[in-house]
Amino acid sequence: PWTLLQIEERLLSVQELPSKVGQDICLLLLKTLQRKGISTEKLVAQCYDNAPNMGGIHKGVQACVTNHLNREILHIPCGAHNSNLAVEYACVCSIEYINLFMLLQELYNYFTLSIKRCHVLREAFDKSPYALHIKSLSDTRWTANYESIHAVIESYDEIIYCFHLIEEGEQFDKESKLQGKNLRSKFISYEIIVLLKFMENITRTTNSLTVHLQSKQLDILSSMELITNTLKLIKMMRNDDQSLKNILLLGEKHIEPYDVDIDKGFNRLHRFHQPSCRIDPKPAKVVQLTR
DNA sequence: GGACGACGGATCCAATGAGA
DNA sequence: TCTCATTGGATCCGTCGTCC
């Protein structure tokens, strides 16, 4: 029975590939299995990332393996890759999210590209029991984005404090101070706090899915259930006005000590637009958004 | 000013699929 | 059947910032 099977992951071989064509990769794969004394009779399924030469239904490796062995070898596209891509596309659908992630990357670069600035940050973090070290973003590994957002929220006050130290420190050059000042003014914003908290909520959910899909002990049924539940949860979050209101309130509380005009920030993004009569013949009906 | 490393744009590759 | 746009991924290479 399946329950008695102990599934383990092993790295069999690392080889240079002169060709990236599905057929050649397939031949190398089968040759390696043969060289290692592993019978292809036991091959029941195959899993690759979404590169066309791997998962292609006609000439991809998965199709070539099935053709070569003359029987159906179940192909399962890598769920971790798929969930990563889904989150990645969702995050680049709006300019606000793109700007947020660019800002996080800018923050990471600012502190890590200079030993002096990095030292200031480390010292500030060492003094605080709650601060987390800021993380680099990754294009393909979206767990890094949750970690990055979470770290910035937890360390927000320490990061702002470091900008002050750099601006006032004599050991820093003009350029460092100017960059720090710009970054500080970008970060002390109601919009950024709300976006960070909103994205933290979303990426926490998608991150736990990704972590599960990359875990060593993994079974297909529970993974499928988790994917379905994550989708349900995200749909619920989409329609949950109360949670959104809570995020707005949390954002207000977080930014309170920095003396930010929240209404000004909100109204800038939600200012009243009179739609053209072509779109709405009765523009008086249009509702203006309020906090 | 040189060494070094990170970043990002450009390009390439292999494949799919829509449409002429 | 062919062309073209698109996709995920890999690689190259110039540019820029930092440090000594």
Side-chain angles (χ1 to χ4, degrees):
Chain A
W2 285 94
T3 47
L4 293 178
L5 287 176
Q6 184 70 35
I7 298 172
E8 286 192 30
E9 200 176 40
R10 288 274 187 278
L11 176 66
L12 278 183
S13 172
V14 179
Q15 289 176 60
E16 192 180 337
L17 261 171
S19 155
K20 291 165 194 157
V21 183
Q23 179 74 13
D24 293 338
I25 300 174
C26 165
L27 288 175
L28 183 78
L29 177 73
L30 295 174
K31 209 171 137 188
T32 305
L33 287 176
Q34 194 187 17
R35 198 156 46 81
K36 298 281 175 185
I38 299 170
S39 166
T40 51
E41 281 176 28
K42 292 172 185 168
L43 192 60
V44 291
Q46 42 185 337
C47 178
Y48 312 105
D49 63 17
N50 297 301
N53 59 342
M54 301 305 290
I57 58 167
H58 300 309
K59 291 163 135 185
V61 174
Q62 63 101 359
C64 292
V65 169
T66 290
N67 284 342
H68 252 88
L69 300 182
N70 215 13
R71 64 190 169 86
E72 183 68 31
I73 309 289
L74 184 66
H75 169 236
I76 305 168
C78 175
H81 263 84
N82 280 347
S83 69
N84 268 334
L85 288 170
V87 179
E88 188 187 338
Y89 281 121
C91 288
V92 296
C93 71
S94 140
I95 193 76
E96 280 79 18
Y97 301 141
I98 296 171
N99 285 340
L100 175 72
F101 287 114
M102 277 169 68
L103 187 61
L104 290 176
Q105 188 65 52
E106 219 179 311
L107 177 78
Y108 177 81
N109 294 346
Y110 178 73
F111 281 110
T112 55
L113 284 176
S114 152
I115 291 173
K116 285 191 213 166
R117 297 195 291 253
C118 197
H119 181 71
V120 172
L121 193 70
R122 275 180 187 279
E123 277 205 322
F125 283 0
D126 287 345
K127 283 179 198 159
S128 165
Y130 303 111
L132 287 168
H133 283 261
I134 54 169
K135 316 257 180 196
S136 168
L137 295 171
S138 163
D139 285 342
T140 48
R141 215 176 59 84
W142 275 80
T143 52
N145 285 25
Y146 167 69
E147 288 159 9
S148 182
I149 293 168
H150 183 61
V152 169
I153 291 176
E154 290 296 311
S155 318
Y156 187 82
D157 295 330
E158 284 76 16
I159 292 170
I160 302 293
Y161 174 63
C162 286
F163 284 133
H164 276 296
L165 288 180
I166 291 169
E167 275 174 57
E168 284 159 19
E170 284 176 7
Q171 71 271 39
F172 296 100
D173 57 28
K174 228 168 108 183
E175 194 60 30
S176 269
K177 290 180 182 191
L178 191 66
Q179 275 184 5
K181 198 178 169 187
N182 282 337
L183 271 172
R184 181 170 61 88
S185 65
K186 279 185 192 171
F187 263 95
I188 302 180
S189 126
Y190 177 59
E191 186 195 348
I192 289 294
I193 287 288
V194 169
L195 278 174
L196 279 170
K197 290 196 180 281
F198 179 74
M199 286 311 290
E200 188 193 26
N201 257 4
I202 305 277
T203 50
R204 187 189 294 119
T205 311
T206 53
N207 178 51
S208 53
L209 172 66
T210 308
V211 168
H212 175 85
L213 291 175
Q214 289 176 348
S215 63
K216 283 186 179 175
Q217 302 294 327
L218 185 70
D219 78 83
I220 294 171
L221 291 178
S222 72
S223 299
M224 285 166 71
E225 202 181 322
L226 192 63
I227 291 170
T228 314
N229 287 341
T230 305
L231 280 172
K232 267 189 208 163
L233 195 60
I234 290 174
K235 276 179 189 163
M236 270 168 64
M237 285 162 96
R238 186 182 180 173
N239 298 323
D240 188 355
D241 286 349
Q242 193 52 48
S243 293
L244 196 60
K245 278 179 187 165
N246 288 342
I247 290 174
L248 294 177
L249 286 173
L250 279 173
E252 272 180 45
K253 218 173 159 186
H254 204 119
I255 204 78
E256 212 174 16
Y258 297 98
D259 195 26
V260 171
D261 187 343
I262 297 172
D263 286 319
K264 195 179 164 190
F266 187 88
N267 292 335
R268 187 178 65 82
L269 294 165
H270 298 92
R271 62 188 183 277
F272 181 71
H273 289 286
Q274 181 91 0
S276 76
C277 293
R278 202 153 43 90
I279 295 167
D280 188 348
K282 289 179 183 170
K285 283 194 304 185
V286 174
V287 178
Q288 184 172 13
L289 290 170
T290 54
R291 281 200 297 124

PDB file of all heavy atoms in Angstrom, chain A residues 131-148:
ATOM      1  N   ALA A 131      13.381  43.757  16.116  1.00  0.00           N
ATOM      2  CA  ALA A 131      13.807  44.001  14.731  1.00  0.00           C
ATOM      3  C   ALA A 131      14.291  42.731  14.038  1.00  0.00           C
ATOM      4  O   ALA A 131      14.951  41.886  14.625  1.00  0.00           O
ATOM      5  CB  ALA A 131      14.913  45.039  14.723  1.00  0.00           C
ATOM      6  N   LEU A 132      13.924  42.630  12.769  1.00  0.00           N
ATOM      7  CA  LEU A 132      14.395  41.521  11.917  1.00  0.00           C
ATOM      8  C   LEU A 132      15.322  42.114  10.875  1.00  0.00           C
ATOM      9  O   LEU A 132      15.149  43.245  10.461  1.00  0.00           O
ATOM     10  CB  LEU A 132      13.214  40.870  11.201  1.00  0.00           C
ATOM     11  CG  LEU A 132      12.274  40.017  12.013  1.00  0.00           C
ATOM     12  CD1 LEU A 132      11.035  39.735  11.194  1.00  0.00           C
ATOM     13  CD2 LEU A 132      12.937  38.729  12.404  1.00  0.00           C
ATOM     14  N   HIS A 133      16.275  41.345  10.426  1.00  0.00           N
ATOM     15  CA  HIS A 133      17.181  41.875   9.400  1.00  0.00           C
ATOM     16  C   HIS A 133      16.475  41.946   8.051  1.00  0.00           C
ATOM     17  O   HIS A 133      15.732  41.038   7.692  1.00  0.00           O
ATOM     18  CB  HIS A 133      18.426  40.995   9.306  1.00  0.00           C
ATOM     19  CG  HIS A 133      19.361  41.250  10.433  1.00  0.00           C
ATOM     20  ND1 HIS A 133      20.460  42.045  10.323  1.00  0.00           N
ATOM     21  CD2 HIS A 133      19.306  40.870  11.729  1.00  0.00           C
ATOM     22  CE1 HIS A 133      21.074  42.119  11.497  1.00  0.00           C
ATOM     23  NE2 HIS A 133      20.380  41.403  12.367  1.00  0.00           N
ATOM     24  N   ILE A 134      16.702  43.045   7.328  1.00  0.00           N
ATOM     25  CA  ILE A 134      16.032  43.193   6.031  1.00  0.00           C
ATOM     26  C   ILE A 134      16.584  42.178   5.047  1.00  0.00           C
ATOM     27  O   ILE A 134      17.753  41.806   5.098  1.00  0.00           O
ATOM     28  CB  ILE A 134      16.159  44.633   5.476  1.00  0.00           C
ATOM     29  CG1 ILE A 134      17.608  45.081   5.423  1.00  0.00           C
ATOM     30  CG2 ILE A 134      15.327  45.586   6.284  1.00  0.00           C
ATOM     31  CD1 ILE A 134      17.782  46.368   4.637  1.00  0.00           C
ATOM     32  N   LYS A 135      15.713  41.719   4.173  1.00  0.00           N
ATOM     33  CA  LYS A 135      16.080  40.628   3.249  1.00  0.00           C
ATOM     34  C   LYS A 135      16.041  41.123   1.812  1.00  0.00           C
ATOM     35  O   LYS A 135      15.278  42.015   1.472  1.00  0.00           O
ATOM     36  CB  LYS A 135      15.070  39.477   3.390  1.00  0.00           C
ATOM     37  CG  LYS A 135      14.718  39.118   4.797  1.00  0.00           C
ATOM     38  CD  LYS A 135      15.422  37.874   5.217  1.00  0.00           C
ATOM     39  CE  LYS A 135      15.068  37.525   6.651  1.00  0.00           C
ATOM     40  NZ  LYS A 135      15.949  36.571   7.242  1.00  0.00           N
ATOM     41  N   SER A 136      16.801  40.432   1.010  1.00  0.00           N
ATOM     42  CA  SER A 136      16.789  40.737  -0.422  1.00  0.00           C
ATOM     43  C   SER A 136      15.559  40.119  -1.064  1.00  0.00           C
ATOM     44  O   SER A 136      15.085  39.066  -0.636  1.00  0.00           O
ATOM     45  CB  SER A 136      18.025  40.157  -1.075  1.00  0.00           C
ATOM     46  OG  SER A 136      17.894  40.195  -2.460  1.00  0.00           O
ATOM     47  N   LEU A 137      15.043  40.781  -2.087  1.00  0.00           N
ATOM     48  CA  LEU A 137      13.918  40.212  -2.828  1.00  0.00           C
ATOM     49  C   LEU A 137      14.452  39.250  -3.859  1.00  0.00           C
ATOM     50  O   LEU A 137      15.608  39.297  -4.235  1.00  0.00           O
ATOM     51  CB  LEU A 137      13.145  41.322  -3.525  1.00  0.00           C
ATOM     52  CG  LEU A 137      12.447  42.338  -2.635  1.00  0.00           C
ATOM     53  CD1 LEU A 137      11.922  43.467  -3.469  1.00  0.00           C
ATOM     54  CD2 LEU A 137      11.316  41.681  -1.888  1.00  0.00           C
ATOM     55  N   SER A 138      13.582  38.385  -4.325  1.00  0.00           N
ATOM     56  CA  SER A 138      13.991  37.448  -5.370  1.00  0.00           C
ATOM     57  C   SER A 138      12.903  37.395  -6.420  1.00  0.00           C
ATOM     58  O   SER A 138      11.723  37.456  -6.109  1.00  0.00           O
ATOM     59  CB  SER A 138      14.189  36.067  -4.760  1.00  0.00           C
ATOM     60  OG  SER A 138      14.203  35.091  -5.758  1.00  0.00           O
ATOM     61  N   ASP A 139      13.298  37.293  -7.691  1.00  0.00           N
ATOM     62  CA  ASP A 139      12.310  37.236  -8.768  1.00  0.00           C
ATOM     63  C   ASP A 139      11.559  35.918  -8.788  1.00  0.00           C
ATOM     64  O   ASP A 139      10.396  35.858  -9.134  1.00  0.00           O
ATOM     65  CB  ASP A 139      13.006  37.420 -10.117  1.00  0.00           C
ATOM     66  CG  ASP A 139      13.401  38.865 -10.319  1.00  0.00           C
ATOM     67  OD1 ASP A 139      12.846  39.727  -9.608  1.00  0.00           O
ATOM     68  OD2 ASP A 139      14.272  39.128 -11.158  1.00  0.00           O
ATOM     69  N   THR A 140      12.250  34.851  -8.428  1.00  0.00           N
ATOM     70  CA  THR A 140      11.622  33.544  -8.583  1.00  0.00           C
ATOM     71  C   THR A 140      11.239  32.898  -7.255  1.00  0.00           C
ATOM     72  O   THR A 140      10.386  32.030  -7.209  1.00  0.00           O
ATOM     73  CB  THR A 140      12.555  32.576  -9.333  1.00  0.00           C
ATOM     74  OG1 THR A 140      13.842  32.669  -8.729  1.00  0.00           O
ATOM     75  CG2 THR A 140      12.643  32.931 -10.786  1.00  0.00           C
ATOM     76  N   ARG A 141      11.879  33.329  -6.167  1.00  0.00           N
ATOM     77  CA  ARG A 141      11.579  32.685  -4.884  1.00  0.00           C
ATOM     78  C   ARG A 141      10.747  33.660  -4.060  1.00  0.00           C
ATOM     79  O   ARG A 141      11.262  34.565  -3.419  1.00  0.00           O
ATOM     80  CB  ARG A 141      12.887  32.357  -4.152  1.00  0.00           C
ATOM     81  CG  ARG A 141      12.851  31.084  -3.347  1.00  0.00           C
ATOM     82  CD  ARG A 141      14.212  30.818  -2.747  1.00  0.00           C
ATOM     83  NE  ARG A 141      14.644  31.882  -1.886  1.00  0.00           N
ATOM     84  CZ  ARG A 141      14.306  31.998  -0.606  1.00  0.00           C
ATOM     85  NH1 ARG A 141      13.503  31.122  -0.043  1.00  0.00           N
ATOM     86  NH2 ARG A 141      14.754  33.003   0.115  1.00  0.00           N
ATOM     87  N   TRP A 142       9.416  33.467  -4.092  1.00  0.00           N
ATOM     88  CA  TRP A 142       8.541  34.460  -3.477  1.00  0.00           C
ATOM     89  C   TRP A 142       8.419  34.354  -1.974  1.00  0.00           C
ATOM     90  O   TRP A 142       7.851  35.220  -1.347  1.00  0.00           O
ATOM     91  CB  TRP A 142       7.177  34.453  -4.171  1.00  0.00           C
ATOM     92  CG  TRP A 142       7.294  35.318  -5.352  1.00  0.00           C
ATOM     93  CD1 TRP A 142       7.849  34.985  -6.549  1.00  0.00           C
ATOM     94  CD2 TRP A 142       6.983  36.701  -5.435  1.00  0.00           C
ATOM     95  NE1 TRP A 142       7.889  36.070  -7.374  1.00  0.00           N
ATOM     96  CE2 TRP A 142       7.350  37.131  -6.718  1.00  0.00           C
ATOM     97  CE3 TRP A 142       6.426  37.619  -4.557  1.00  0.00           C
ATOM     98  CZ2 TRP A 142       7.181  38.442  -7.136  1.00  0.00           C
ATOM     99  CZ3 TRP A 142       6.247  38.919  -4.979  1.00  0.00           C
ATOM    100  CH2 TRP A 142       6.629  39.313  -6.254  1.00  0.00           C
ATOM    101  N   THR A 143       8.978  33.296  -1.376  1.00  0.00           N
ATOM    102  CA  THR A 143       9.001  33.270   0.085  1.00  0.00           C
ATOM    103  C   THR A 143       9.870  34.418   0.556  1.00  0.00           C
ATOM    104  O   THR A 143       9.645  35.001   1.598  1.00  0.00           O
ATOM    105  CB  THR A 143       9.584  31.946   0.617  1.00  0.00           C
ATOM    106  OG1 THR A 143      10.835  31.740  -0.016  1.00  0.00           O
ATOM    107  CG2 THR A 143       8.673  30.789   0.331  1.00  0.00           C
ATOM    108  N   ALA A 144      10.875  34.778  -0.277  1.00  0.00           N
ATOM    109  CA  ALA A 144      11.776  35.881   0.063  1.00  0.00           C
ATOM    110  C   ALA A 144      11.008  37.190   0.181  1.00  0.00           C
ATOM    111  O   ALA A 144      11.377  38.057   0.963  1.00  0.00           O
ATOM    112  CB  ALA A 144      12.869  36.001  -0.983  1.00  0.00           C
ATOM    113  N   ASN A 145       9.942  37.329  -0.600  1.00  0.00           N
ATOM    114  CA  ASN A 145       9.179  38.573  -0.552  1.00  0.00           C
ATOM    115  C   ASN A 145       8.379  38.701   0.737  1.00  0.00           C
ATOM    116  O   ASN A 145       8.266  39.794   1.278  1.00  0.00           O
ATOM    117  CB  ASN A 145       8.254  38.659  -1.759  1.00  0.00           C
ATOM    118  CG  ASN A 145       9.033  38.991  -2.996  1.00  0.00           C
ATOM    119  OD1 ASN A 145      10.229  38.702  -3.058  1.00  0.00           O
ATOM    120  ND2 ASN A 145       8.421  39.604  -3.967  1.00  0.00           N
ATOM    121  N   TYR A 146       7.825  37.589   1.214  1.00  0.00           N
ATOM    122  CA  TYR A 146       7.122  37.634   2.503  1.00  0.00           C
ATOM    123  C   TYR A 146       8.128  38.013   3.591  1.00  0.00           C
ATOM    124  O   TYR A 146       7.862  38.882   4.424  1.00  0.00           O
ATOM    125  CB  TYR A 146       6.468  36.291   2.835  1.00  0.00           C
ATOM    126  CG  TYR A 146       6.034  36.232   4.278  1.00  0.00           C
ATOM    127  CD1 TYR A 146       4.977  37.014   4.720  1.00  0.00           C
ATOM    128  CD2 TYR A 146       6.715  35.450   5.212  1.00  0.00           C
ATOM    129  CE1 TYR A 146       4.594  37.016   6.051  1.00  0.00           C
ATOM    130  CE2 TYR A 146       6.357  35.448   6.542  1.00  0.00           C
ATOM    131  CZ  TYR A 146       5.291  36.229   6.953  1.00  0.00           C
ATOM    132  OH  TYR A 146       4.928  36.233   8.272  1.00  0.00           O
ATOM    133  N   GLU A 147       9.289  37.340   3.577  1.00  0.00           N
ATOM    134  CA  GLU A 147      10.313  37.603   4.591  1.00  0.00           C
ATOM    135  C   GLU A 147      10.744  39.068   4.550  1.00  0.00           C
ATOM    136  O   GLU A 147      10.932  39.701   5.582  1.00  0.00           O
ATOM    137  CB  GLU A 147      11.529  36.691   4.368  1.00  0.00           C
ATOM    138  CG  GLU A 147      11.240  35.246   4.746  1.00  0.00           C
ATOM    139  CD  GLU A 147      12.187  34.271   4.080  1.00  0.00           C
ATOM    140  OE1 GLU A 147      13.167  34.721   3.471  1.00  0.00           O
ATOM    141  OE2 GLU A 147      11.914  33.059   4.145  1.00  0.00           O
ATOM    142  N   SER A 148      10.875  39.581   3.330  1.00  0.00           N
ATOM    143  CA  SER A 148      11.318  40.956   3.164  1.00  0.00           C
ATOM    144  C   SER A 148      10.282  41.940   3.714  1.00  0.00           C
ATOM    145  O   SER A 148      10.620  42.860   4.468  1.00  0.00           O
ATOM    146  CB  SER A 148      11.556  41.205   1.672  1.00  0.00           C
ATOM    147  OG  SER A 148      12.027  42.481   1.473  1.00  0.00           O
TER     148      SER A 148
END
